[in-house]
Amino acid sequence: MGFLDGLRRGRAADFDSGNAATNSIVLTKRHDRVSLKEQGAETGHLRINLAWRMRTSDFGGPQRESLLRHPFRALKPPEVMGHSQSMVNVDLDLGCLYELADGTKGVVQPLGGLFGDVNSAPYVKLSGDDRFGSASGETIYVNLDHKDAIKRILVFVYIYDQTPAFDRTHAIVTLYPSNGPRIEIGLDERHPQARSCAVVMIENVKGEIVVRREVKFVYGFQAELDRLYGWGLQWGRGFKTKAGR
């Protein structure tokens, strides 16, 4: 059975899903890929969102003491902590490496003001730069009406400042196709010294758009992700510009 045959024969039940009401597919190490063709979602804009919050376990002893006195509070959903520079000096950024069918390669990211374009090559655009983890987070749009022009897109998350803090944040990357359930990839593995993480590969496999979980943490930045996936770009020091919308 070929790779694509396996995808076609797979059922939604093969994926780890949360509450049925959430209408989501959670990609895991065991079930790490899904075909957008199966969802009828290979057209329109694919929205990719990064959102994060601080791990509540990192905020001292009073919470732990409160749970010991009131154990049923542990059953409540975790409180989303606000973000400020006084709490933690961390800035998670969303970006992607892209390769087009004609061999063109590049990067879309806040560093260098490389926000891309959704209506012309590379058909990928980053909307804004959320520096403090607001509810809306950061979003990349992929124009799948031009899917035949796209070979592969590697979505990654990196820490802009000098504080490695993946172990102090709960981050999730969510893909919203034009049809069918959203696709979620959590970054819950503890890698306290990592500065970058390859999250998900979106690949055109013989005309079929396949989403594959990666979640590979590295201790360097984009150049190390490039070497890991063989992109072959030239990298230099980058700086953030005012975010585009």
Side-chain angles (χ1 to χ4, degrees):
M1 181 175 66
F3 169 70
L4 291 178
D5 292 332
L7 285 174
R8 292 190 182 99
R9 296 182 187 182
R11 298 180 180 178
D14 292 335
F15 297 94
D16 294 338
S17 298
N19 189 302
T22 65
N23 193 31
S24 66
I25 293 173
V26 179
L27 296 185
T28 65
K29 289 181 179 179
R30 182 180 176 188
H31 302 300
D32 64 351
R33 65 193 67 194
V34 63
S35 167
L36 293 187
K37 186 175 183 178
E38 292 290 316
Q39 312 298 328
E42 288 191 309
T43 59
H45 286 176
L46 172 65
R47 181 162 59 96
I48 306 168
N49 178 259
L50 164 68
W52 77 91
R53 60 177 170 81
M54 296 304 301
R55 295 181 186 272
T56 55
S57 60
D58 290 336
F59 287 91
Q63 285 187 338
R64 180 178 178 87
E65 183 179 351
S66 175
L67 289 178
L68 291 175
R69 293 182 178 180
H70 307 282
F72 287 103
R73 289 184 182 177
L75 302 179
K76 289 185 177 182
E79 179 183 358
V80 177
M81 305 300 294
H83 296 267
S84 69
Q85 288 178 314
S86 61
M87 280 187 177
V88 62
N89 184 25
V90 62
D91 180 9
L92 298 186
D93 280 326
L94 182 68
C96 71
L97 294 168
Y98 64 82
E99 181 178 2
L100 303 183
D102 65 3
T104 302
K105 298 178 182 179
V107 61
V108 171
Q109 61 180 19
L111 282 177
L114 302 172
F115 290 99
D117 195 308
V118 76
N119 294 314
S120 60
Y123 308 109
V124 180
K125 182 175 176 61
L126 174 65
S127 178
D129 172 20
D130 171 23
R131 303 195 179 194
F132 302 105
S134 66
S136 60
E138 297 184 8
T139 301
I140 287 175
Y141 295 91
V142 180
N143 189 345
L144 292 181
D145 289 336
H146 295 272
K147 69 180 181 69
D148 291 338
I150 298 170
K151 181 177 180 180
R152 58 175 180 160
I153 297 170
L154 178 68
V155 178
F156 59 85
V157 174
Y158 64 99
I159 296 174
Y160 174 67
D161 65 19
Q162 300 301 311
T163 306
F166 276 113
D167 63 325
R168 298 177 63 186
T169 61
H170 174 79
I172 185 168
V173 172
T174 306
L175 283 67
Y176 297 89
S178 60
N179 186 56
R182 66 181 182 267
I183 302 165
E184 298 179 351
I185 305 100
L187 307 184
D188 287 330
E189 298 176 19
R190 295 296 185 110
H191 291 267
Q193 298 303 314
R195 296 183 182 275
S196 307
C197 179
V199 180
V200 62
M201 180 76 79
I202 302 164
E203 195 166 14
N204 190 326
V205 182
K206 296 182 179 179
E208 185 166 352
I209 299 299
V210 176
V211 175
R212 185 178 73 243
R213 178 188 184 273
E214 296 292 327
V215 189
K216 294 180 180 178
F217 289 87
V218 300
Y219 297 95
F221 293 98
Q222 292 89 324
E224 188 168 343
L225 292 174
D226 182 313
R227 288 192 294 271
L228 185 62
Y229 288 89
W231 235 267
L233 299 179
Q234 297 295 320
W235 295 92
R237 183 173 177 81
F239 299 92
K240 285 191 180 185
T241 61
K242 186 176 180 180
R245 294 287 178 185

